[in-house]
Amino acid sequence: MTRLTGRALRLTVFVGEHDTWHHKPLYSEIVHRAHAAGLAGASVFHGIEGYGASSLIHTSRLLSLSEDLPVAIVIVDTEERVRAFLPQLDELVSEGLVTIDDCEVIRYIGRASKPGESDRKGKKQP
């Protein structure tokens, strides 16, 4: 398990929910690559309305015909690890926005598995 406290970077990637990489959702590919790279954590947030460089507003309102809603992937880790991950994003993200912000990690603690629960890889704990 990665230990993380103090100064860190927050990497945020904004893409569309229908953006893909080799027939998989792009956000999923980014999360799986972040996991494989050993980054501390990644979360995907689904937007209900937004616009980007194209200035086309995407919304979830019922009467709207727009469907490609915004998605934000947020990754937090040390500066060294986040910057080492950026070349993979250059490969993956052809349209969207990638930002980096300084942040401070106050608390980073995983959930303890109880006997009989599945761990992160789907294996049952004794």
Side-chain angles (χ1 to χ4, degrees), residues 47-61:
I48 58 171
E49 189 167 25
Y51 72 94
S54 69
S55 293
L56 178 64
I57 293 179
H58 301 272
T59 182
S60 63
R61 283 183 274 157

Side-chain angles (χ1 to χ4, degrees), residues 81-101:
R81 288 183 180 199
V82 167
R83 293 202 183 276
F85 187 67
L86 292 178
Q88 292 199 54
L89 290 180
D90 285 340
E91 176 188 356
L92 295 171
V93 180
S94 59
E95 294 178 2
L97 175 66
V98 178
T99 65
I100 294 179
D101 302 296

Side-chain angles (χ1 to χ4, degrees), residues 6-24:
R7 293 191 67 225
L9 287 183
R10 177 179 49 229
L11 170 66
T12 307
V13 182
F14 298 92
V15 295
E17 68 178 335
H18 294 300
D19 292 347
T20 60
W21 176 261
H22 294 265
H23 308 292
K24 282 179 49 180

Side-chain angles (χ1 to χ4, degrees), residues 4-13 39-43 73-86 89 98-106 108:
L4 184 64
T5 56
R7 293 191 67 225
L9 287 183
R10 177 179 49 229
L11 170 66
T12 307
V13 182
L39 294 171
S43 296
I73 305 103
V74 179
I75 299 169
V76 176
D77 208 320
T78 63
E79 179 172 1
E80 179 182 339
R81 288 183 180 199
V82 167
R83 293 202 183 276
F85 187 67
L86 292 178
L89 290 180
V98 178
T99 65
I100 294 179
D101 302 296
D102 290 320
C103 66
E104 183 178 356
V105 176
I106 304 300
Y108 177 67

